[in-house]
Amino acid sequence: MPSHNSDDSLSDSELIQTFVEGFVQGRPVLLSNANLRTEPLFGSMQLIDNKEGVISTANMKQAPISAKIRPISAYWNVLHDAMTGQSFYPLAKSEQSDCYIYRYCPPSENHEMHCTTAKELWRVCWGRGYSVRSGIPLDLLVWGQGPTSHREKWHSLRGMECENGQLVIKVLGGAIRVSSQDLVVWARQGSNGRTAPSGSYQDREGRSPLRSGMRGYLRLRN
């Protein structure tokens, strides 16, 4: 049975963190304060802003588990940071609604995970010592978002261009078109072995708190 805690002294960030932890661990929670509340819904759990309505729906039954999050929300930054802290990243965008779909993607050997706007990835490629002449560094991977299933994997980043107001991310065998403010998930090869993503949570033994039976891991490889 889900636990219930109704307490106005519970801060918004504490409630959101507990919501995310409950989702990751497969444990529905009933929480509320003056601004936010959670509600179970057919194997899912919703996070509701009392003013804006539903801002996140966490699917805890269907593998791989995922959470839809509205980027236009006063709580976007807190919720996004809590998700990426558990190694859940916006790996797709919903076609039916303006929501990012977060799924688990663990850090891998020799790579650092990042989640930025496409504009910031452009700056990383071209504005930090990589001129047009020297080209895109080949140690960058990008997650291929898009409506077609073959894009749902890691790709070596081959280049970036601006075309008709969109950024075009060139990958082997095709291209991914995004707006400058769209979130993209990418990774950069490091030199010192396994590197966890910035802000990710691990226990004292270096393990992720994810429940052992969770399916749908998305390993980092190209």
Side-chain angles (χ1 to χ4, degrees):
M1 293 293 292
S3 59
H4 182 268
N5 183 4
S6 179
D7 186 353
D8 287 345
S9 67
L10 191 67
S11 72
D12 294 342
S13 61
E14 289 171 337
L15 189 149
I16 289 172
Q17 186 65 45
T18 305
F19 166 79
V20 171
E21 290 174 355
F23 153 64
V24 168
Q25 297 167 8
R27 176 177 51 84
V29 292
L30 292 175
L31 301 169
S32 63
N33 65 10
N35 301 312
L36 298 168
R37 70 183 189 275
T38 66
E39 291 184 0
L41 179 67
F42 305 114
S44 300
M45 183 170 55
Q46 291 184 330
L47 177 63
I48 301 172
D49 182 331
N50 292 335
K51 294 181 179 179
E52 298 181 11
V54 177
I55 58 178
S56 179
T57 300
N59 171 18
M60 299 179 291
K61 297 297 183 182
Q62 184 178 358
I65 67 171
S66 62
K68 292 183 179 180
I69 300 178
R70 285 177 52 203
I72 303 175
S73 167
Y75 298 99
W76 161 255
N77 288 333
V78 178
L79 189 51
H80 172 77
D81 288 347
M83 280 288 182
T84 56
Q86 299 279 7
S87 294
F88 277 77
Y89 291 87
L91 299 182
K93 205 168 185 180
S94 173
E95 296 180 22
Q96 289 77 31
S97 60
D98 187 24
C99 292
Y100 285 102
I101 301 173
Y102 284 65
R103 297 200 300 272
Y104 182 61
C105 191
S108 184
E109 297 289 342
N110 301 321
H111 283 87
E112 299 173 344
M113 293 282 292
H114 298 271
C115 178
T116 67
T117 63
K119 184 178 180 179
E120 182 60 28
L121 177 58
W122 170 278
R123 289 173 177 169
V124 169
C125 292
W126 300 106
R128 297 184 180 179
Y130 298 103
S131 66
V132 174
R133 178 174 296 179
S134 62
I136 296 289
L138 297 180
D139 61 346
L140 295 182
L141 302 175
V142 63
W143 180 263
Q145 301 182 41
T148 54
S149 59
H150 74 274
R151 290 183 177 176
E152 292 284 315
K153 62 181 181 180
W154 290 101
H155 300 268
S156 293
L157 183 59
R158 301 299 184 185
M160 290 188 71
E161 294 180 353
C162 184
E163 182 179 295
N164 297 325
Q166 287 188 312
L167 288 177
V168 180
I169 303 173
K170 293 185 176 181
V171 298
L172 187 64
I176 303 167
R177 287 174 167 78
V178 295
S179 73
S180 63
Q181 295 304 315
D182 277 346
L183 292 180
V184 291
V185 178
W186 53 281
R188 175 161 40 197
Q189 187 173 359
S191 58
N192 296 319
R194 186 181 182 87
T195 306
S198 176
S200 66
Y201 172 80
Q202 294 177 330
D203 64 20
R204 293 181 180 179
E205 297 180 2
R207 298 173 301 188
S208 168
L210 298 171
R211 65 186 187 277
S212 59
M214 196 181 85
R215 295 170 292 164
Y217 292 179
L218 298 161
R219 298 296 178 186
L220 179 58
R221 58 181 182 270
N222 70 356

